[in-house]
Amino acid sequence: MPPSTYFVETRWGGSEESPAAARLLELIRELDVSDEEHPDAWLVHGESGWMVRLDEERFAYLEDPELNVVGHLRDVGPEEAFSLWLDLSTGGPSAVRSRPWIPGPRVYTQAETEAIHERSRILMLESDRQFYESLGPEESGTECKRDGCTRGRVKYSVLCARHHFEQLRGKPYPL
């Protein structure tokens, strides 16, 4: 019987076909580094399409070929994560389905949800401020074209920084 085919999607966007066991462990260890933009990696069993996705918060997710989360596990350390990936890669979904999966996707607590919303608010505010600062200084002697505004316009625009920001972002500048 030919060896099972599988591939891994690494957390930073690379795809590797049937990496060796030592490489699987390296890819799992990459999840020890915090990266909000790239929080997970997954292994897909080639014949079945089932996958085990791991994230940096030490959750594992069992997903069917339609990407439905069948179950999840909490507090999955690198060794258990390696075992999950190795079992799925060599034995397919039947090799991992007997684990004590909690049915369905992870459910966030109210406190976790509030923390996520607060972090999102802070990140958006930082992004808005960086964008506003990137507009550069307002030129003296050139007036913003917005009715009633006497501020100078920014380079490559007919508007001052505030009005340019509001036009592009579709919201008021958060002072």
Side-chain angles (χ1 to χ4, degrees):
M1 180 161 101
S4 181
T5 62
Y6 61 94
F7 70 91
V8 174
E9 193 66 32
T10 69
R11 79 175 303 176
W12 289 299
S15 185
E16 298 184 20
E17 188 172 339
S18 302
R23 179 67 178 141
L24 290 178
L25 195 51
E26 287 175 13
L27 295 171
I28 291 166
R29 295 255 182 230
E30 287 180 353
L31 294 168
D32 291 340
V33 176
S34 180
D35 184 345
E36 291 178 345
E37 192 174 337
H38 305 97
D40 54 7
W42 55 92
L43 182 141
V44 179
H45 182 253
E47 287 88 32
S48 69
W50 281 75
M51 93 168 86
V52 170
R53 181 168 46 92
L54 307 170
D55 71 23
E56 66 183 30
E57 293 182 19
R58 295 186 177 246
F59 278 82
Y61 302 89
L62 179 62
E63 299 181 16
D64 68 18
E66 287 79 38
L67 303 179
N68 298 305
V69 177
V70 174
H72 67 279
L73 298 172
R74 296 178 174 274
D75 301 318
V76 176
E79 294 76 23
E80 184 179 4
F82 176 69
S83 175
L84 282 165
W85 274 12
L86 197 58
D87 288 350
L88 180 63
S89 72
T90 58
S94 61
V96 294
R97 288 189 61 101
S98 63
R99 304 283 177 105
W101 297 99
I102 300 166
R106 173 185 180 187
V107 177
Y108 290 89
T109 66
Q110 182 67 27
E112 288 171 324
T113 301
E114 289 171 4
I116 291 168
H117 285 285
E118 179 60 14
R119 182 70 182 139
S120 294
R121 186 189 70 74
I122 290 168
L123 290 172
M124 183 55 71
L125 185 59
E126 288 174 9
S127 172
D128 286 345
R129 286 186 177 144
Q130 286 175 356
F131 174 70
Y132 185 85
E133 290 171 12
S134 76
L135 297 175
E138 294 174 349
E139 300 173 358
S140 59
T142 62
E143 216 169 85
C144 174
K145 297 297 181 187
R146 183 69 53 95
D147 287 341
C149 183
T150 59
R151 296 168 57 149
R153 59 189 173 104
V154 293
K155 193 173 186 176
Y156 307 117
S157 179
V158 296
L159 301 172
C160 67
R162 178 166 291 157
H163 290 126
H164 189 82
F165 174 92
E166 290 174 352
Q167 180 178 343
L168 292 180
R169 292 282 170 118
K171 61 184 177 182
Y173 174 72
L175 295 175

PDB file of all heavy atoms in Angstrom, residues 11-38:
ATOM      1  N   ARG A  11       1.903  28.348   9.219  1.00  0.00           N
ATOM      2  CA  ARG A  11       1.254  29.551   9.739  1.00  0.00           C
ATOM      3  C   ARG A  11       1.596  30.808   8.963  1.00  0.00           C
ATOM      4  O   ARG A  11       0.838  31.765   8.972  1.00  0.00           O
ATOM      5  CB  ARG A  11       1.568  29.719  11.216  1.00  0.00           C
ATOM      6  CG  ARG A  11       2.949  30.290  11.487  1.00  0.00           C
ATOM      7  CD  ARG A  11       3.210  30.551  12.912  1.00  0.00           C
ATOM      8  NE  ARG A  11       2.226  31.447  13.511  1.00  0.00           N
ATOM      9  CZ  ARG A  11       2.205  31.764  14.776  1.00  0.00           C
ATOM     10  NH1 ARG A  11       3.083  31.256  15.584  1.00  0.00           N
ATOM     11  NH2 ARG A  11       1.313  32.575  15.248  1.00  0.00           N
ATOM     12  N   TRP A  12       2.754  30.832   8.279  1.00  0.00           N
ATOM     13  CA  TRP A  12       3.130  32.032   7.548  1.00  0.00           C
ATOM     14  C   TRP A  12       2.918  31.887   6.047  1.00  0.00           C
ATOM     15  O   TRP A  12       3.527  32.575   5.243  1.00  0.00           O
ATOM     16  CB  TRP A  12       4.556  32.455   7.895  1.00  0.00           C
ATOM     17  CG  TRP A  12       4.622  32.985   9.293  1.00  0.00           C
ATOM     18  CD1 TRP A  12       3.949  34.073   9.780  1.00  0.00           C
ATOM     19  CD2 TRP A  12       5.339  32.448  10.390  1.00  0.00           C
ATOM     20  NE1 TRP A  12       4.214  34.242  11.116  1.00  0.00           N
ATOM     21  CE2 TRP A  12       5.077  33.253  11.523  1.00  0.00           C
ATOM     22  CE3 TRP A  12       6.188  31.354  10.551  1.00  0.00           C
ATOM     23  CZ2 TRP A  12       5.617  33.014  12.772  1.00  0.00           C
ATOM     24  CZ3 TRP A  12       6.733  31.116  11.791  1.00  0.00           C
ATOM     25  CH2 TRP A  12       6.445  31.946  12.887  1.00  0.00           C
ATOM     26  N   GLY A  13       2.039  30.963   5.663  1.00  0.00           N
ATOM     27  CA  GLY A  13       1.570  30.911   4.294  1.00  0.00           C
ATOM     28  C   GLY A  13       2.211  29.919   3.354  1.00  0.00           C
ATOM     29  O   GLY A  13       1.823  29.839   2.205  1.00  0.00           O
ATOM     30  N   GLY A  14       3.150  29.128   3.798  1.00  0.00           N
ATOM     31  CA  GLY A  14       3.743  28.130   2.918  1.00  0.00           C
ATOM     32  C   GLY A  14       2.949  26.837   2.963  1.00  0.00           C
ATOM     33  O   GLY A  14       2.305  26.518   3.946  1.00  0.00           O
ATOM     34  N   SER A  15       2.978  26.111   1.880  1.00  0.00           N
ATOM     35  CA  SER A  15       2.322  24.811   1.827  1.00  0.00           C
ATOM     36  C   SER A  15       3.403  23.765   1.559  1.00  0.00           C
ATOM     37  O   SER A  15       4.225  23.953   0.666  1.00  0.00           O
ATOM     38  CB  SER A  15       1.283  24.801   0.701  1.00  0.00           C
ATOM     39  OG  SER A  15       0.560  23.597   0.713  1.00  0.00           O
ATOM     40  N   GLU A  16       3.404  22.701   2.357  1.00  0.00           N
ATOM     41  CA  GLU A  16       4.415  21.660   2.201  1.00  0.00           C
ATOM     42  C   GLU A  16       3.724  20.309   2.059  1.00  0.00           C
ATOM     43  O   GLU A  16       2.882  19.944   2.879  1.00  0.00           O
ATOM     44  CB  GLU A  16       5.355  21.647   3.411  1.00  0.00           C
ATOM     45  CG  GLU A  16       6.125  22.945   3.565  1.00  0.00           C
ATOM     46  CD  GLU A  16       7.140  22.913   4.697  1.00  0.00           C
ATOM     47  OE1 GLU A  16       7.545  21.808   5.126  1.00  0.00           O
ATOM     48  OE2 GLU A  16       7.538  24.007   5.148  1.00  0.00           O
ATOM     49  N   GLU A  17       4.106  19.588   1.015  1.00  0.00           N
ATOM     50  CA  GLU A  17       3.515  18.274   0.774  1.00  0.00           C
ATOM     51  C   GLU A  17       4.298  17.187   1.494  1.00  0.00           C
ATOM     52  O   GLU A  17       5.516  17.075   1.328  1.00  0.00           O
ATOM     53  CB  GLU A  17       3.480  17.980  -0.721  1.00  0.00           C
ATOM     54  CG  GLU A  17       2.704  16.718  -1.033  1.00  0.00           C
ATOM     55  CD  GLU A  17       2.499  16.501  -2.525  1.00  0.00           C
ATOM     56  OE1 GLU A  17       2.586  17.478  -3.279  1.00  0.00           O
ATOM     57  OE2 GLU A  17       2.270  15.352  -2.909  1.00  0.00           O
ATOM     58  N   SER A  18       3.609  16.447   2.332  1.00  0.00           N
ATOM     59  CA  SER A  18       4.144  15.292   3.063  1.00  0.00           C
ATOM     60  C   SER A  18       5.493  15.551   3.733  1.00  0.00           C
ATOM     61  O   SER A  18       6.448  14.790   3.538  1.00  0.00           O
ATOM     62  CB  SER A  18       4.237  14.073   2.136  1.00  0.00           C
ATOM     63  OG  SER A  18       2.972  13.758   1.608  1.00  0.00           O
ATOM     64  N   PRO A  19       5.595  16.601   4.553  1.00  0.00           N
ATOM     65  CA  PRO A  19       6.876  16.823   5.235  1.00  0.00           C
ATOM     66  C   PRO A  19       7.176  15.693   6.216  1.00  0.00           C
ATOM     67  O   PRO A  19       6.262  15.035   6.724  1.00  0.00           O
ATOM     68  CB  PRO A  19       6.666  18.150   5.963  1.00  0.00           C
ATOM     69  CG  PRO A  19       5.204  18.308   6.090  1.00  0.00           C
ATOM     70  CD  PRO A  19       4.590  17.595   4.933  1.00  0.00           C
ATOM     71  N   ALA A  20       8.455  15.485   6.470  1.00  0.00           N
ATOM     72  CA  ALA A  20       8.891  14.447   7.408  1.00  0.00           C
ATOM     73  C   ALA A  20       8.429  14.794   8.819  1.00  0.00           C
ATOM     74  O   ALA A  20       8.096  15.935   9.132  1.00  0.00           O
ATOM     75  CB  ALA A  20      10.423  14.344   7.372  1.00  0.00           C
ATOM     76  N   ALA A  21       8.432  13.788   9.688  1.00  0.00           N
ATOM     77  CA  ALA A  21       7.965  13.953  11.067  1.00  0.00           C
ATOM     78  C   ALA A  21       8.725  15.066  11.788  1.00  0.00           C
ATOM     79  O   ALA A  21       8.116  15.869  12.506  1.00  0.00           O
ATOM     80  CB  ALA A  21       8.092  12.636  11.822  1.00  0.00           C
ATOM     81  N   ALA A  22      10.032  15.148  11.595  1.00  0.00           N
ATOM     82  CA  ALA A  22      10.818  16.188  12.256  1.00  0.00           C
ATOM     83  C   ALA A  22      10.363  17.578  11.809  1.00  0.00           C
ATOM     84  O   ALA A  22      10.311  18.516  12.608  1.00  0.00           O
ATOM     85  CB  ALA A  22      12.305  16.001  11.967  1.00  0.00           C
ATOM     86  N   ARG A  23      10.009  17.699  10.535  1.00  0.00           N
ATOM     87  CA  ARG A  23       9.534  18.988  10.018  1.00  0.00           C
ATOM     88  C   ARG A  23       8.162  19.325  10.601  1.00  0.00           C
ATOM     89  O   ARG A  23       7.873  20.495  10.897  1.00  0.00           O
ATOM     90  CB  ARG A  23       9.486  18.961   8.486  1.00  0.00           C
ATOM     91  CG  ARG A  23       8.991  20.236   7.867  1.00  0.00           C
ATOM     92  CD  ARG A  23       9.933  21.399   8.082  1.00  0.00           C
ATOM     93  NE  ARG A  23       9.410  22.588   7.403  1.00  0.00           N
ATOM     94  CZ  ARG A  23       9.470  23.809   7.884  1.00  0.00           C
ATOM     95  NH1 ARG A  23      10.092  24.060   9.014  1.00  0.00           N
ATOM     96  NH2 ARG A  23       8.953  24.816   7.223  1.00  0.00           N
ATOM     97  N   LEU A  24       7.300  18.318  10.779  1.00  0.00           N
ATOM     98  CA  LEU A  24       5.997  18.556  11.402  1.00  0.00           C
ATOM     99  C   LEU A  24       6.171  19.198  12.778  1.00  0.00           C
ATOM    100  O   LEU A  24       5.498  20.161  13.121  1.00  0.00           O
ATOM    101  CB  LEU A  24       5.202  17.259  11.539  1.00  0.00           C
ATOM    102  CG  LEU A  24       4.669  16.606  10.270  1.00  0.00           C
ATOM    103  CD1 LEU A  24       3.954  15.305  10.609  1.00  0.00           C
ATOM    104  CD2 LEU A  24       3.755  17.558   9.524  1.00  0.00           C
ATOM    105  N   LEU A  25       7.106  18.648  13.545  1.00  0.00           N
ATOM    106  CA  LEU A  25       7.353  19.183  14.887  1.00  0.00           C
ATOM    107  C   LEU A  25       7.877  20.623  14.819  1.00  0.00           C
ATOM    108  O   LEU A  25       7.466  21.469  15.607  1.00  0.00           O
ATOM    109  CB  LEU A  25       8.318  18.283  15.652  1.00  0.00           C
ATOM    110  CG  LEU A  25       8.391  18.497  17.154  1.00  0.00           C
ATOM    111  CD1 LEU A  25       7.019  18.485  17.809  1.00  0.00           C
ATOM    112  CD2 LEU A  25       9.280  17.443  17.790  1.00  0.00           C
ATOM    113  N   GLU A  26       8.738  20.924  13.851  1.00  0.00           N
ATOM    114  CA  GLU A  26       9.216  22.300  13.668  1.00  0.00           C
ATOM    115  C   GLU A  26       8.060  23.251  13.382  1.00  0.00           C
ATOM    116  O   GLU A  26       7.989  24.352  13.936  1.00  0.00           O
ATOM    117  CB  GLU A  26      10.209  22.382  12.497  1.00  0.00           C
ATOM    118  CG  GLU A  26      11.563  21.791  12.753  1.00  0.00           C
ATOM    119  CD  GLU A  26      12.433  21.821  11.486  1.00  0.00           C
ATOM    120  OE1 GLU A  26      12.068  22.515  10.494  1.00  0.00           O
ATOM    121  OE2 GLU A  26      13.473  21.146  11.490  1.00  0.00           O
ATOM    122  N   LEU A  27       7.160  22.824  12.513  1.00  0.00           N
ATOM    123  CA  LEU A  27       6.020  23.673  12.145  1.00  0.00           C
ATOM    124  C   LEU A  27       5.086  23.895  13.326  1.00  0.00           C
ATOM    125  O   LEU A  27       4.532  24.983  13.491  1.00  0.00           O
ATOM    126  CB  LEU A  27       5.263  23.053  10.967  1.00  0.00           C
ATOM    127  CG  LEU A  27       6.061  22.977   9.663  1.00  0.00           C
ATOM    128  CD1 LEU A  27       5.312  22.163   8.627  1.00  0.00           C
ATOM    129  CD2 LEU A  27       6.382  24.369   9.150  1.00  0.00           C
ATOM    130  N   ILE A  28       4.940  22.897  14.154  1.00  0.00           N
ATOM    131  CA  ILE A  28       4.126  23.024  15.363  1.00  0.00           C
ATOM    132  C   ILE A  28       4.795  23.994  16.333  1.00  0.00           C
ATOM    133  O   ILE A  28       4.144  24.840  16.937  1.00  0.00           O
ATOM    134  CB  ILE A  28       3.879  21.647  16.007  1.00  0.00           C
ATOM    135  CG1 ILE A  28       2.946  20.824  15.116  1.00  0.00           C
ATOM    136  CG2 ILE A  28       3.331  21.782  17.421  1.00  0.00           C
ATOM    137  CD1 ILE A  28       2.888  19.349  15.457  1.00  0.00           C
ATOM    138  N   ARG A  29       6.097  23.902  16.478  1.00  0.00           N
ATOM    139  CA  ARG A  29       6.836  24.783  17.399  1.00  0.00           C
ATOM    140  C   ARG A  29       6.778  26.249  16.954  1.00  0.00           C
ATOM    141  O   ARG A  29       6.925  27.146  17.774  1.00  0.00           O
ATOM    142  CB  ARG A  29       8.286  24.333  17.526  1.00  0.00           C
ATOM    143  CG  ARG A  29       8.421  22.963  18.174  1.00  0.00           C
ATOM    144  CD  ARG A  29       8.899  23.091  19.579  1.00  0.00           C
ATOM    145  NE  ARG A  29       9.074  21.766  20.165  1.00  0.00           N
ATOM    146  CZ  ARG A  29       8.571  21.422  21.321  1.00  0.00           C
ATOM    147  NH1 ARG A  29       7.876  22.294  22.032  1.00  0.00           N
ATOM    148  NH2 ARG A  29       8.758  20.223  21.801  1.00  0.00           N
ATOM    149  N   GLU A  30       6.560  26.494  15.668  1.00  0.00           N
ATOM    150  CA  GLU A  30       6.405  27.874  15.202  1.00  0.00           C
ATOM    151  C   GLU A  30       5.221  28.556  15.883  1.00  0.00           C
ATOM    152  O   GLU A  30       5.183  29.768  16.004  1.00  0.00           O
ATOM    153  CB  GLU A  30       6.214  27.920  13.687  1.00  0.00           C
ATOM    154  CG  GLU A  30       7.462  27.631  12.904  1.00  0.00           C
ATOM    155  CD  GLU A  30       7.243  27.677  11.391  1.00  0.00           C
ATOM    156  OE1 GLU A  30       6.076  27.808  10.941  1.00  0.00           O
ATOM    157  OE2 GLU A  30       8.241  27.566  10.663  1.00  0.00           O
ATOM    158  N   LEU A  31       4.255  27.771  16.340  1.00  0.00           N
ATOM    159  CA  LEU A  31       3.071  28.328  16.994  1.00  0.00           C
ATOM    160  C   LEU A  31       3.379  28.863  18.394  1.00  0.00           C
ATOM    161  O   LEU A  31       2.528  29.500  19.017  1.00  0.00           O
ATOM    162  CB  LEU A  31       1.956  27.288  17.057  1.00  0.00           C
ATOM    163  CG  LEU A  31       1.382  26.880  15.698  1.00  0.00           C
ATOM    164  CD1 LEU A  31       0.502  25.654  15.824  1.00  0.00           C
ATOM    165  CD2 LEU A  31       0.636  28.032  15.058  1.00  0.00           C
ATOM    166  N   ASP A  32       4.594  28.637  18.886  1.00  0.00           N
ATOM    167  CA  ASP A  32       5.002  29.183  20.184  1.00  0.00           C
ATOM    168  C   ASP A  32       5.239  30.689  20.116  1.00  0.00           C
ATOM    169  O   ASP A  32       5.295  31.357  21.143  1.00  0.00           O
ATOM    170  CB  ASP A  32       6.286  28.497  20.687  1.00  0.00           C
ATOM    171  CG  ASP A  32       6.051  27.052  21.080  1.00  0.00           C
ATOM    172  OD1 ASP A  32       4.893  26.667  21.325  1.00  0.00           O
ATOM    173  OD2 ASP A  32       7.039  26.295  21.140  1.00  0.00           O
ATOM    174  N   VAL A  33       5.385  31.220  18.903  1.00  0.00           N
ATOM    175  CA  VAL A  33       5.609  32.652  18.696  1.00  0.00           C
ATOM    176  C   VAL A  33       4.254  33.308  18.438  1.00  0.00           C
ATOM    177  O   VAL A  33       3.495  32.855  17.600  1.00  0.00           O
ATOM    178  CB  VAL A  33       6.533  32.886  17.475  1.00  0.00           C
ATOM    179  CG1 VAL A  33       6.701  34.358  17.194  1.00  0.00           C
ATOM    180  CG2 VAL A  33       7.866  32.202  17.679  1.00  0.00           C
ATOM    181  N   SER A  34       3.970  34.371  19.176  1.00  0.00           N
ATOM    182  CA  SER A  34       2.699  35.066  18.998  1.00  0.00           C
ATOM    183  C   SER A  34       2.692  35.860  17.695  1.00  0.00           C
ATOM    184  O   SER A  34       3.633  36.592  17.404  1.00  0.00           O
ATOM    185  CB  SER A  34       2.450  36.000  20.184  1.00  0.00           C
ATOM    186  OG  SER A  34       1.226  36.678  20.009  1.00  0.00           O
ATOM    187  N   ASP A  35       1.640  35.681  16.906  1.00  0.00           N
ATOM    188  CA  ASP A  35       1.467  36.417  15.660  1.00  0.00           C
ATOM    189  C   ASP A  35      -0.027  36.465  15.369  1.00  0.00           C
ATOM    190  O   ASP A  35      -0.595  35.528  14.818  1.00  0.00           O
ATOM    191  CB  ASP A  35       2.220  35.741  14.523  1.00  0.00           C
ATOM    192  CG  ASP A  35       2.144  36.516  13.211  1.00  0.00           C
ATOM    193  OD1 ASP A  35       1.295  37.419  13.077  1.00  0.00           O
ATOM    194  OD2 ASP A  35       2.936  36.200  12.309  1.00  0.00           O
ATOM    195  N   GLU A  36      -0.670  37.574  15.764  1.00  0.00           N
ATOM    196  CA  GLU A  36      -2.121  37.693  15.621  1.00  0.00           C
ATOM    197  C   GLU A  36      -2.590  37.553  14.186  1.00  0.00           C
ATOM    198  O   GLU A  36      -3.701  37.100  13.938  1.00  0.00           O
ATOM    199  CB  GLU A  36      -2.608  39.028  16.184  1.00  0.00           C
ATOM    200  CG  GLU A  36      -2.504  39.126  17.674  1.00  0.00           C
ATOM    201  CD  GLU A  36      -2.946  40.477  18.207  1.00  0.00           C
ATOM    202  OE1 GLU A  36      -3.066  41.444  17.415  1.00  0.00           O
ATOM    203  OE2 GLU A  36      -3.176  40.563  19.416  1.00  0.00           O
ATOM    204  N   GLU A  37      -1.760  37.956  13.246  1.00  0.00           N
ATOM    205  CA  GLU A  37      -2.154  37.899  11.843  1.00  0.00           C
ATOM    206  C   GLU A  37      -2.092  36.478  11.282  1.00  0.00           C
ATOM    207  O   GLU A  37      -2.798  36.150  10.338  1.00  0.00           O
ATOM    208  CB  GLU A  37      -1.261  38.831  11.025  1.00  0.00           C
ATOM    209  CG  GLU A  37      -1.767  39.069   9.633  1.00  0.00           C
ATOM    210  CD  GLU A  37      -0.959  40.112   8.892  1.00  0.00           C
ATOM    211  OE1 GLU A  37      -0.316  40.952   9.544  1.00  0.00           O
ATOM    212  OE2 GLU A  37      -0.972  40.084   7.658  1.00  0.00           O
ATOM    213  N   HIS A  38      -1.231  35.647  11.844  1.00  0.00           N
ATOM    214  CA  HIS A  38      -1.052  34.272  11.371  1.00  0.00           C
ATOM    215  C   HIS A  38      -1.075  33.322  12.568  1.00  0.00           C
ATOM    216  O   HIS A  38      -0.037  32.811  12.969  1.00  0.00           O
ATOM    217  CB  HIS A  38       0.277  34.139  10.625  1.00  0.00           C
ATOM    218  CG  HIS A  38       0.432  35.112   9.513  1.00  0.00           C
ATOM    219  ND1 HIS A  38       1.126  36.292   9.671  1.00  0.00           N
ATOM    220  CD2 HIS A  38      -0.031  35.109   8.250  1.00  0.00           C
ATOM    221  CE1 HIS A  38       1.098  36.951   8.536  1.00  0.00           C
ATOM    222  NE2 HIS A  38       0.400  36.265   7.658  1.00  0.00           N
TER     223      HIS A  38
END
